[in-house]
Amino acid sequence: MGLPDYNRQFLEKVKRGEPAFNNASKYGVDITELSGTSVPLNAKQYWRVIGVHHLTGSENMGNHHVYADVLDGDGRRINNSRLVLRQGTSPPLYAVVDKPANEAGTNIPLWSSTRASVGVEYPANNPLPTEMANNIRTDHADEEIGNTWGHHSFYVVFQLTTVPEQKDEEVDVNV
């Protein structure tokens, strides 16, 4: 599935210091940011959600998937990186970024009963902390050809990012 150059748009927002792109929020998709994640004290990097896009009908063509990409700090795809999709108490599903450069790096099918969260689990031997895209589901109302009930898809992009430094609380010495 070919998509317009959303990664470039998402990366431009990051460079401007803007929040992650999320036109899927109107479908209930939210992002658990780093501040809501358990981060080991020695963590220097993490996976940041830089964009969540609800596919248009012409992009989706009746599918029901989470499409995803994982980018390095310079915005290049990290092939063989791994994503994890969690759905309630079901065992997690994994997908590896291995698609051609002209399409989303990987995809995971969703079903109408799915309420999913997706994050990065990479590198395999010592995964970095990850933000999550949550409440991804397909049971939205009919909108147009290609996006009907049970047939909605989302594109989620993660980027390797430096963990912000924790600032010590300022102490007023004039007390």
Side-chain angles (χ1 to χ4, degrees), residues 121-133:
E121 196 167 284
Y122 187 79
N125 60 344
N126 190 21
L128 298 173
T130 186
E131 293 186 344
M132 301 287 290

Side-chain angles (χ1 to χ4, degrees), residues 16-102:
R16 292 190 302 261
E18 298 175 15
F21 177 89
N22 184 5
N23 77 347
S25 62
K26 75 178 193 176
Y27 297 91
V29 178
D30 62 54
I31 299 168
T32 301
E33 295 178 346
L34 186 65
S35 60
T37 305
S38 176
V39 179
L41 290 175
N42 62 346
K44 303 284 188 237
Q45 295 179 309
Y46 72 104
W47 299 109
R48 177 181 178 192
V49 175
I50 64 167
V52 182
H53 169 67
H54 175 263
L55 274 61
T56 65
S58 60
E59 292 168 341
N60 189 36
M61 300 183 334
N63 287 316
H64 41 87
H65 288 74
V66 171
Y67 295 93
D69 262 312
V70 179
L71 309 177
D72 68 13
D74 294 322
R76 292 182 304 259
R77 179 184 283 175
I78 302 174
N79 288 319
N80 298 314
S81 54
R82 185 168 89 158
L83 290 108
V84 59
L85 184 104
R86 300 185 190 286
Q87 306 169 83
T89 59
S90 298
L93 298 173
Y94 298 94
V96 174
V97 173
D98 63 356
K99 302 289 186 220
N102 65 335

Side-chain angles (χ1 to χ4, degrees), residues 1 3 23-24 27 29 52-57 59-68 107-111 136-140 143 146-156:
M1 177 205 56
L3 287 173
N23 77 347
Y27 297 91
V29 178
V52 182
H53 169 67
H54 175 263
L55 274 61
T56 65
E59 292 168 341
N60 189 36
M61 300 183 334
N63 287 316
H64 41 87
H65 288 74
V66 171
Y67 295 93
N107 64 80
I108 306 169
L110 297 172
W111 311 110
I136 302 169
R137 52 188 245 273
T138 65
D139 60 348
H140 303 288
E143 292 181 341
N147 277 348
T148 57
W149 190 93
H151 297 93
H152 288 258
S153 296
F154 299 85
Y155 180 52
V156 182

